């Protein structure tokens, strides 16, 4: 494998970014419950940025493997991918919840 890639370090970076994004999403959900939608948007945008960074790392490894580079199996990298995908799903759900709640609040004014 190309020495410029470090699977363990990259896995840890994905896990950190996904974890930070998850904390932002949980805070955004609290803001949704409080009807603070502008704060919700900024938290979700920040979470999305972190997840995009993590996804770029994952995509780099997928591209390497697809082009024939052998990527050794790593439980840590597998965990990182799981963390990333779950958090991306949570982000999508939080975005939808924000839209729904904002609409409900507007309809009841």
């Amino acid at each position: 494998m190309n020495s410029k890639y470090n699977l363990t370090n990259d896995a840890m970076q994905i896990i950190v970014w996904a974890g930070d994004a998850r904390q932002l999403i949980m805070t955004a959900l609290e803001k949704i419950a409080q009807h603070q939608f502008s704060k919700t948007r900024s938290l979700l945008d920040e979470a999305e940025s972190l997840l995009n960074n993590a996804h770029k790392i994952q995509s780099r490894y997928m591209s390497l493997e697809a082009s024939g580079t052998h990527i050794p199996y790593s439980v840590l990298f597998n965990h990182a991918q799981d963390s990333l995908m779950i958090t991306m799903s949570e982000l999508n759900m939080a975005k939808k919840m924000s839209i729904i709640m904002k609409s409900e609040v507007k309809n009841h004014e």
Side-chain angles (χ1 to χ4, degrees), residues 7-29:
L7 192 62
T8 300
N9 286 347
D10 287 342
M12 289 306 298
Q13 187 61 69
I14 291 170
I15 291 166
V16 167
W17 277 331
D20 290 349
R22 192 169 207 204
Q23 284 301 117
L24 290 166
I25 293 164
M26 292 303 126
T27 302
L29 289 170

Side-chain angles (χ1 to χ4, degrees), residues 23-36 40:
Q23 284 301 117
L24 290 166
I25 293 164
M26 292 303 126
T27 302
L29 289 170
E30 292 171 10
K31 298 302 177 191
I32 290 169
Q34 298 166 357
H35 303 166
Q36 296 178 12
T40 298

